[in-house]
């Protein structure tokens, strides 16, 4: 099992930036991909971005492409999400998760953090 802890959420005005961090521990050698997800009230949890732990290849949701950047630091067992040009629609609880594939669905990610809240005011 992999344990994940997110940090960096908070309140920001539209157009601002935040950087989310996620630190992994435990069975970290099993990580093949790491993803960022978000869930707003009344909505399904959705994939935001993912990165292959092996190759560094990335995958983004269309809604954040060009604004968000996912990155990893293998030595630190950490993954990051740089969020720029934030919009009120980005307001949600953000989660990181570890999985076996860059293209895995939400249900295929086995280990999840507790989440960090991001609120973007107009």
């Amino acid at each position: 099992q992999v344990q994940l802890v997110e940090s960096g959420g908070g309140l920001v005005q539209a157009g601002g930036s935040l950087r989310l961090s996620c630190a992994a521990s435990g069975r970290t050698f099993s990580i093949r991909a790491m993803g960022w997800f978000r869930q707003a009230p009344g909505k399904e949890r959705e994939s935001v971005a993912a990165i292959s732990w092996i190759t560094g290849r990335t995958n983004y949701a269309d809604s954040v492409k060009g604004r968000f950047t996912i990155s990893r630091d293998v030595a630190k067992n950490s993954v990051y999400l740089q969020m720029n040009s934030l919009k009120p629609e980005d307001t949600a609880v953000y989660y990181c998760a570890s999985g076996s594939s860059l293209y895995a669905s939400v249900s295929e990610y086995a280990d999840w953090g507790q989440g960090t809240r991001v609120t973007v005011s107009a």
Side-chain angles (χ1 to χ4, degrees):
Q1 187 176 338
V2 177
Q3 291 78 48
L4 304 167
V5 180
E6 303 98 333
S7 62
L11 175 65
V12 65
Q13 291 185 316
S17 298
L18 283 174
R19 183 176 175 85
L20 306 184
S21 299
C22 176
S25 60
R27 200 168 175 267
T28 56
F29 58 84
S30 69
I31 297 174
R32 296 294 178 267
M34 197 83 83
W36 284 98
F37 302 80
R38 66 187 181 187
Q39 188 165 24
K43 298 186 67 177
E44 294 285 325
R45 186 170 299 186
E46 63 177 352
S47 178
V48 175
I51 187 166
S52 169
W53 215 246
I54 309 301
T55 68
R57 290 181 179 179
T58 57
N59 189 29
Y60 295 93
D62 288 341
S63 60
V64 306
K65 201 168 296 182
R67 299 189 297 123
F68 292 9
T69 303
I70 188 171
S71 61
R72 79 201 199 288
D73 187 332
V74 176
K76 294 182 178 180
N77 292 317
S78 297
V79 64
Y80 309 94
L81 186 68
Q82 178 66 46
M83 306 185 294
N84 298 325
S85 301
L86 283 162
K87 305 174 181 179
E89 307 93 89
D90 296 317
T91 295
V93 176
Y94 283 71
Y95 302 87
C96 66
S98 64
S100 60
S101 171
L102 180 64
Y103 304 104
S105 65
V106 172
S107 63
E108 292 174 307
Y109 280 79
D111 301 307
W112 294 80
Q114 293 299 305
T116 185
R117 186 176 297 275
V118 172
T119 303
V120 184
S121 62

